[in-house]
Amino acid sequence: MTHIPLDYETMRLVWWALLGILLIGFAVMDGYDLGVGTLLPFAARTDEERRILINLVGPTWEGNQVWLVLGGGAVFAAWPALYAASFSGFYLAMIAILLALILRPVGFKFRGKVKDPRWRETWDWALFVGGFVPALIAGVAVGNVLLGVPFGLDATLRASYSGSFFGLLSPFALLAGLVSVGMCVAQGAAVIAARCEGPVAARARLYGGRAALLTAALFALGGLWVAFGLEGYVVISAQDMAAPSNPLGKTVAREAGAWVANYGRHPWMLIAPALGLLGSLAGFAGLRLGLKVPTILATSAAIFGIISTAGLSLFPFLLPSSSTPNASLTVWDASSSHLTLFVMLIATAVFLPLILLYTTWVYRVMRGPVTAASIGRNPNAY
């Protein structure tokens, strides 16, 4: 039998952490693209100003979406039960995200083909949809995970979903969606303010500051709602953390305040919500003061803290079931085999550093302000 240096329990924890890192990487890197798209009709008023913002994200948005591909691949390979249940339950929501994301490359390419202002404005609003809708729906999805998703498993572990698309749009889920939009807009505004000049940067600081404050307020409201207004989920039976995956081998109960129990057991976890709140407030201050790199670091820290808060609150759950709580998926019963996780970890140890190095090199090459003059000198500009 192949010797694997890390035991099954540790390997599952490693892949839970890696999934979180990939989601955070996507939110930080592609989140600023979504934020810039959302701000496009508001931070930029003229055709020239909108071209500046489009060329700010145009050279790098495809590379940033690698994090989304990696996250989807990690769920598919490391957490197949989670992939099956979530992709079937959130099917229409994911289709809406994909259709919105498709508008982005089409908008970039088609916008400049015709000089008619109405044509270009139409594509500007398409780029707004391509930024706003994915950010909103991603947050709504996280909100629904905290609420519990109505799915069940049969004896063969085949998932069945009993909810509807509009059933996902509950008040708490929409609140989570607005938190997601706010943090992406703040991230996008921080990048615009750092790399653009003049009225565009000034408007980005104004709208981004408002978004950062809104993110902090809604995140705090969401935390209070989770602590005092939502039932969480807790495993009340013994669970073997190194046993083969079988989500039906446990008993789960719903309890008030269960989602904040981890913070009582492990106070160090409070770093995550504190980072989400303080990072948003620091981002607001940085935008108001005209700081550049510190503001990007602050808004990135806010994203890290907000997503980490959701993951740490849910742990060990990956996808709780509101209709059949015992079928809820956890870190200990929804993963691939020990050997599969190990082989994937080796591949990740090789390719993830390469992706990070390449991304760093790209941003170094593309550094510097994006202005009307720089666009005029670039024959490949959008």
Side-chain angles (χ1 to χ4, degrees):
M1 184 174 181
T2 303
H3 174 69
I4 300 176
L6 295 177
D7 60 61
Y8 202 6
E9 177 185 349
T10 303
M11 195 71 72
R12 283 166 160 162
L13 276 174
V14 168
W15 271 102
W16 172 79
L18 282 173
L19 178 60
I21 290 170
L22 293 175
L23 292 176
I24 292 169
F26 169 70
V28 169
M29 301 302 296
D30 203 43
Y32 99 76
D33 295 336
L34 302 180
V36 171
T38 304
L39 284 170
L40 181 63
F42 309 104
R45 305 287 172 80
T46 66
D47 180 69
E48 183 178 80
E49 290 177 349
R50 291 179 178 178
R51 286 190 65 205
I52 289 172
L53 294 191
I54 290 171
N55 282 277
L56 173 65
V57 300
T60 55
W61 72 269
E62 290 175 292
N64 291 339
Q65 285 203 163
V66 168
W67 293 95
L68 178 62
V69 176
L70 289 173
V75 173
F76 174 77
W79 310 101
L82 174 63
Y83 182 90
S86 61
F87 275 62
S88 59
F90 296 148
Y91 183 77
L92 291 178
M94 291 184 177
I95 289 295
I97 289 177
L98 290 175
L99 291 176
L101 289 176
I102 287 171
L103 288 175
R104 185 160 51 181
V106 177
F108 287 159
K109 297 295 184 182
F110 281 18
R111 183 187 184 278
K113 299 298 183 183
V114 179
K115 292 185 178 181
D116 184 352
R118 290 173 299 178
W119 169 270
R120 294 192 172 186
E121 186 172 2
T122 298
W123 286 112
D124 291 338
W125 283 104
L127 291 170
F128 164 81
V129 171
F132 178 81
V133 170
L136 178 70
I137 294 181
V140 167
V142 174
N144 276 280
V145 172
L146 288 164
L147 290 168
V149 179
F151 75 94
L153 299 172
D154 63 17
T156 63
L157 302 183
R158 183 173 57 183
S160 59
Y161 178 72
S162 57
S164 65
F165 174 78
F166 291 104
L168 300 174
L169 305 178
S170 66
F172 177 79
L174 288 173
L175 173 66
L178 291 176
V179 171
S180 176
V181 171
M183 70 183 193
C184 288
V185 169
Q187 180 81 345
V191 175
I192 293 172
R195 297 193 58 199
C196 299
E197 302 171 350
V200 174
R203 295 189 201 106
R205 286 192 291 269
L206 173 64
Y207 291 119
R210 293 173 180 176
L213 276 184
L214 184 65
T215 301
L218 293 180
F219 180 58
L221 176 60
L224 293 174
W225 198 333
V226 168
F228 302 107
L230 287 188
E231 284 187 330
Y233 294 74
V234 60
V235 179
I236 59 175
S237 62
Q239 195 173 19
D240 187 349
M241 300 173 184
S245 292
N246 179 13
L248 298 179
K250 63 183 180 301
T251 304
V252 176
R254 299 180 67 169
E255 294 182 2
W259 288 150
V260 297
N262 281 339
Y263 301 101
R265 288 190 291 264
H266 308 287
W268 64 266
M269 291 183 177
L270 290 169
I271 295 172
L275 196 59
L277 185 61
L278 295 177
S280 297
L281 295 175
F284 165 74
L287 287 165
R288 288 293 298 271
L289 295 172
L291 304 178
K292 295 185 177 183
V293 174
T295 304
I296 296 175
L297 294 177
T299 54
S300 298
I303 292 173
F304 182 94
I306 290 169
I307 295 178
S308 297
T309 298
L312 293 171
S313 299
L314 286 163
F315 187 85
F317 288 90
L318 296 170
L319 190 68
S321 171
S322 59
S323 58
T324 315
N326 291 347
S328 299
L329 307 179
T330 74
V331 172
W332 315 123
D333 60 23
S335 74
S336 294
S337 69
H338 193 186
L339 180 60
T340 299
L341 296 182
F342 176 66
V343 172
M344 287 176 55
L345 185 61
I346 294 175
T348 302
V350 173
F351 290 105
L352 187 57
L354 292 177
I355 292 171
L356 291 172
L357 287 171
Y358 174 75
T359 302
T360 302
W361 177 78
V362 167
Y363 275 90
R364 178 173 175 78
V365 171
M366 298 295 177
R367 70 188 184 279
V370 180
T371 63
S374 68
I375 293 173
R377 292 193 300 268
N378 183 3
N380 299 313
Y382 289 108

